[in-house]
Amino acid sequence: MGEPLYIEIGCEEIPAGYIAPALESMSRQMTRFLDENRVGRGEPHVTGTPRRLILSIPDVSTQQEACTTEIIGPPKQAAFDAGGKPTRAAEGFARGQGVTIEDIRIKETPRGEYLFILREESGSATRALLEKMLPDFIAHIPFPKSMRWAGLSVTFARPVRWIVALLGRETLDLEYGDIRSGDKAMGHRFMSPEWLTVTDYDSHTRNLAKHYVIAEIAERKKLIAEKIREAAVGVGGGILEDEELLDEVTQIVEYPEPIVGEFEEKYLELPPELLITVIKKHQRYFAVTDTDGKLLRYFVTVANTIPRDPRLVAAGNGRVVRARLEDARFYYREDQKVRLDDRVEQLKGVVFHSKMGTSWEKKERFTALARWLGERIAPDRLETLLRAAHLCKADLVTGMVGEFPELQGVMGRAYARLQGEPEAVAAAIFEHYLPNRAGGSIPEGMEGALLSVADKMDTIAACFGVGLNPSGTADPFALRRQTLGILRIILEKSFRLSLCELIDKALPLLADKLTVPPETARKDVLEFFRGRLLHYLVSQEGYAADLVEATLAVGIDDPVDAVARTKALVAFKARPDFESLAAAFKRVANIIKEPETLPVEPELLQTAPEQALFGALSDTEGIVNEALARSDYDAALEAMSRLRGFVDAFFDSVLVMDKDERVRRNRLALLTRIRDLFSGVADFRKIQTA
């Protein structure tokens, strides 16, 4: 049994979006450190509030495990002369390792005999290891933006105010900036600003709750959901469910207290999306609806303190909301005086990007892409699609979107409906921005889906075409999200289209803007799509990375087809004989350094195993090619698997690299045909086998 490790970093209020990634990094960093340093541990637990980040790990060993390390030296033939006397190489190895020649041993390796020594390493105290690493651990917690304070050289999301570091009941001694670690943490900043002594995680979180801090994120979220629901019921309504807002509010309070506010009935004439945006985006308030889902004039805020006079706070919140709604009401009425068609012309004066031209030029480019897509996928929707493409950016020059930028698309849809556009056009204007966040919904309508692909592809091609490629974590144009959005639309809508053709259509439309050679931009864009598809299939769909790498190596031009190959290979791996099958396929692929272009000459097949392999291959090729033609990869792999016994027998008894050049090349030609057959599904060299 070990001791519990408890780390708490207290600071000024951390932005809500910073907390979860920081906690994940803390857990990952610490477990990696303990594992690499041979320190036993239990499972880590992380949680936090805007004012504290907490890491707790039970059963942490107080001592490193001892270990024996084998250190290889020079080869024996270089270490001793013909008379068996040690050379300078042997003496130098011994001296460098702090041992004598008598301590050196010799072992047989695949490369021959080598000198080696065994070094015994006793375990250090875990306390000493942690005290040394924790300042660097804190410094490497990642934040989108960090800051310095009080003239210090260290950085953090916000100024650090306390550090609790305990291993069991002992305080770990460390310093970060001007803060030295201890066993004291602060209660709620306003309702209980006093220092609390920390002994362990469980008692401390219970004590924090008594001092108005709900430390557990899940507990705090559940409490908020219950309290705002009760508050809404109190005014005869229900909370408009919003998981994203609930998560955000959970990370901006330590002790939630709901307060009901209200605004005048006249503002309910505004589109519901507009009302919700003003209430949610600008104030982080929850909207209230009736039993039919219709918005009521109430909203619920979540305060971080229990106010002395809730009515006073509610009145203040109401004034803020009313001011924003009055602005919205003004712009909503003014915007309706100009039709969207007339606003399209104004896009010529809006610069999308200095290197990519105006919003008008962008609209013209993605309209051409949308036409190309529509003609191939939904020719019966082409007229509606082009009408939506013409209008979809017009709301960018409305007063409403100028005041509330997050309403682009939302207001375009609302104004399109008001001016009598078909519902499919209005819906596509909104949906062409989707998905607008990681994991967000894709467009439901065909027009919105095609328009979304066209718009996003234009942005991606333009950025790569002018050298604005994403690098590391920097992605100012959200190209990763937009690329994944295109892939999700293609996959979830089962669009059978060529990415290469789509890219080749997009780049010429940017001819007068490109600063990167088109062939370079094309290659980079396609590789970027490959990386996003790989990441999606591994991180979102849960497929093994080596299997995805193997199937995507065949190509990603048709993403639907690429995913079908991946699914088939994943299912194929479930076979009990997969390891031996994959090993046989890999053996074939590995021996072909350069493909043999000559045809197989049956009369040069000298042995029974190679003749049998050729016969089996001839029978299998037709079955496999027919299956590949209809994208039936399960059937193709099943047919390929029948070659395994013939391949094994071939390698067991046939020397591929025969001295006779004609025989050698003929055998390589046979293996090339087998490799080419496999490569219709995957590159088996990339699959990890035991």
Side-chain angles (χ1 to χ4, degrees):
M1 291 291 290
E3 296 283 0
L5 173 65
Y6 182 84
I7 307 292
E8 179 176 329
I9 305 168
C11 53
E12 302 291 336
E13 277 74 7
I14 303 173
Y18 289 19
I19 296 173
L23 292 173
E24 290 173 10
S25 173
M26 289 172 66
S27 176
R28 188 168 55 250
Q29 274 197 76
M30 185 59 74
T31 54
R32 183 172 62 242
F33 172 81
L34 295 176
D35 292 346
E36 289 177 353
N37 283 275
R38 310 185 309 281
V39 177
R41 60 171 178 84
E43 286 300 309
H45 175 70
V46 289
T47 191
T49 75
R51 293 266 294 165
R52 66 199 76 224
L53 301 175
I54 295 172
L55 166 67
S56 175
I57 304 181
D59 297 330
V60 175
S61 300
T62 57
Q63 194 81 10
Q64 265 185 315
E65 289 183 12
C67 74
T68 300
T69 304
E70 186 177 87
I71 302 174
I72 300 294
K76 178 184 177 182
Q77 63 183 23
F80 296 95
D81 61 21
K85 296 181 62 176
T87 65
R88 294 177 63 183
E91 292 171 348
F93 175 61
R95 186 167 53 253
Q97 298 301 322
V99 298
T100 65
I101 293 293
E102 289 72 25
D103 295 321
I104 294 176
R105 305 179 189 181
I106 297 172
K107 69 175 297 184
E108 184 70 38
T109 75
R111 296 180 298 163
E113 291 185 306
Y114 277 75
L115 274 59
F116 79 102
I117 65 166
L118 292 175
R119 183 175 299 284
E120 302 287 340
E121 293 185 37
S122 59
S124 300
T126 302
R127 175 192 177 98
L129 295 172
L130 288 169
E131 288 178 340
K132 183 177 180 181
M133 71 81 67
L134 278 171
D136 188 64
F137 165 82
I138 297 171
H140 282 85
I141 297 174
F143 301 104
K145 291 183 180 179
S146 296
M147 62 179 294
R148 291 185 172 87
W149 64 95
L152 300 171
S153 60
V154 300
T155 64
F156 205 69
R158 294 293 184 268
V160 176
R161 295 302 182 222
W162 71 85
I163 299 172
V164 176
L166 302 174
L167 183 60
R169 296 300 178 97
E170 293 187 10
T171 301
L172 300 173
D173 186 25
L174 63 118
E175 189 171 338
Y176 190 74
D178 56 354
I179 303 297
R180 183 164 290 280
S181 60
D183 63 354
K184 299 289 192 298
M186 181 70 73
H188 193 283
R189 185 174 190 175
F190 303 110
M191 293 192 290
S192 185
E194 56 186 276
W195 291 104
L196 311 175
T197 300
V198 184
T199 56
D200 60 78
Y201 172 79
D202 290 333
S203 65
H204 180 49
T205 52
R206 289 194 298 270
N207 196 26
L208 281 173
K210 296 176 183 177
H211 291 80
Y212 303 99
V213 175
I214 310 300
E216 278 294 336
I217 294 173
E219 181 184 348
R220 202 162 63 248
K221 180 178 178 178
K222 181 181 178 182
L223 183 61
I224 293 171
E226 292 172 352
K227 285 190 170 187
I228 61 175
R229 194 175 298 117
E230 291 172 2
V233 169
V235 292
I239 288 294
L240 179 66
E241 297 296 330
D242 191 327
E243 194 71 13
E244 181 184 20
L245 179 59
L246 181 58
D247 286 335
E248 183 179 11
V249 171
T250 299
Q251 301 291 32
I252 63 176
V253 298
E254 289 198 315
Y255 190 85
E257 185 65 21
I259 299 172
V260 177
E262 60 183 301
F263 51 83
E264 287 80 0
E265 291 276 354
K266 64 181 180 180
Y267 296 118
L268 292 174
E269 73 181 47
L270 296 172
E273 302 94 331
L274 173 54
L275 281 168
I276 293 168
T277 298
V278 172
I279 292 170
K280 170 186 174 179
K281 292 288 187 181
H282 289 270
Q283 310 303 140
R284 291 174 174 146
Y285 298 167
F286 292 89
V288 177
T289 65
D290 63 17
T291 54
D292 296 325
K294 183 180 179 181
L295 286 178
L296 299 177
R297 62 189 183 90
Y298 300 102
F299 57 88
V300 180
T301 69
V302 180
N304 191 33
T305 61
I306 301 175
R308 295 178 181 176
D309 188 347
R311 290 174 300 178
L312 186 63
V313 176
N317 291 340
R319 283 195 298 272
V320 173
V321 168
R322 279 193 294 275
R324 300 297 288 171
L325 290 178
E326 188 59 38
D327 288 343
R329 187 163 172 255
F330 168 78
Y331 288 119
Y332 182 62
R333 290 179 170 179
E334 288 297 306
D335 285 345
Q336 293 179 58
K337 296 176 181 178
V338 181
R339 289 180 60 82
L340 290 178
D341 292 271
D342 297 325
R343 292 190 183 278
V344 173
E345 193 71 18
Q346 298 174 33
L347 294 174
K348 293 179 178 179
V350 178
V351 176
F352 173 68
H353 188 277
S354 60
K355 293 184 177 182
M356 303 177 210
T358 65
S359 292
W360 166 274
E361 291 175 292
K362 177 172 176 56
K363 187 266 298 183
E364 290 291 284
R365 293 195 301 265
F366 71 67
T367 296
L369 281 179
R371 178 186 293 276
W372 183 84
L373 287 166
E375 289 171 347
R376 282 155 181 75
I377 296 175
D380 58 321
R381 310 283 187 91
L382 191 57
E383 182 179 351
T384 306
L385 173 61
L386 295 179
R387 178 62 177 166
H390 180 67
L391 297 178
C392 68
K393 299 298 183 183
D395 67 349
L396 294 178
V397 291
T398 61
M400 185 70 79
V401 173
E403 182 69 13
F404 303 99
E406 63 274 18
L407 285 173
Q408 54 188 288
V410 172
M411 296 316 303
R413 177 177 60 184
Y415 294 145
R417 286 170 174 167
L418 286 171
Q419 71 179 36
E421 294 291 336
E423 179 57 28
V425 171
I429 290 173
F430 168 72
E431 289 187 336
H432 90 280
Y433 286 104
L434 302 180
N436 53 14
R437 59 182 175 83
S441 301
I442 68 167
E444 291 185 10
M446 178 63 72
E447 294 86 351
L450 296 176
L451 194 52
S452 177
V453 171
D455 184 22
K456 290 175 172 59
M457 179 53 78
D458 174 72
T459 301
I460 295 163
C463 286
F464 277 91
V466 298
L468 296 175
N469 305 21
S471 59
T473 57
D475 187 9
F477 296 95
L479 299 188
R480 292 183 178 90
R481 175 172 59 77
Q482 296 199 59
T483 302
L484 182 56
I486 291 176
L487 289 169
R488 283 190 56 211
I489 291 170
I490 291 173
L491 296 175
E492 294 178 37
K493 294 287 187 181
S494 296
F495 288 162
R496 302 307 296 264
L497 60 86
S498 164
L499 282 178
C500 292
E501 288 183 19
L502 182 59
I503 296 167
D504 288 342
K505 183 66 179 178
L507 287 170
L509 297 170
L510 290 150
D512 61 335
K513 311 292 183 188
L514 298 180
T515 58
V516 172
E519 61 276 10
T520 301
R522 180 185 190 274
K523 176 177 173 292
D524 290 347
V525 171
L526 191 61
E527 180 59 25
F528 194 68
F529 269 92
R530 194 200 73 83
R532 290 296 89 202
L533 183 55
L534 171 65
H535 180 267
Y536 173 73
L537 292 175
V538 173
S539 65
Q540 301 298 315
E541 298 298 320
Y543 297 141
D546 62 322
L547 299 185
V548 179
E549 287 273 13
T551 54
L552 297 193
V554 175
I556 66 157
D557 186 43
D558 180 346
V560 173
D561 192 62
V563 173
R565 290 197 308 273
T566 303
K567 290 180 177 179
L569 188 60
V570 169
F572 190 63
K573 188 179 181 181
R575 293 172 56 122
D577 59 346
F578 174 80
E579 288 288 325
S580 54
L581 284 165
F585 295 169
K586 287 174 67 175
R587 193 172 182 182
V588 172
N590 287 333
I591 205 169
I592 306 297
K593 304 303 181 185
E594 293 292 335
E596 179 54 67
T597 57
L598 292 176
V600 177
E601 296 183 50
E603 62 274 13
L604 290 177
L605 300 173
Q606 300 175 339
T607 67
E610 62 185 318
Q611 292 167 358
L613 176 58
F614 178 69
L617 175 62
S618 300
D619 293 339
T620 303
E621 282 176 323
I623 300 172
V624 171
N625 290 331
E626 183 182 338
L628 293 178
R630 63 176 188 271
S631 297
D632 188 349
Y633 297 109
D634 294 314
L637 285 166
E638 177 61 34
M640 290 177 194
S641 69
R642 298 170 198 154
L643 292 175
R644 177 213 154 188
F646 297 98
V647 171
D648 288 343
F650 174 87
F651 281 118
D652 287 343
S653 58
V654 176
L655 177 64
V656 177
M657 298 304 179
D658 194 271
K659 293 180 180 179
D660 187 319
E661 182 182 359
R662 291 184 66 204
V663 172
R664 180 175 68 251
R665 294 189 66 180
N666 198 56
R667 288 171 178 170
L668 289 172
L670 175 61
L671 294 178
T672 297
R673 272 176 61 173
I674 297 173
R675 188 206 65 170
D676 291 346
L677 192 66
F678 298 158
S679 66
V681 178
D683 182 349
F684 282 85
R685 292 172 300 178
K686 296 184 178 295
I687 299 176
Q688 297 177 7
T689 53

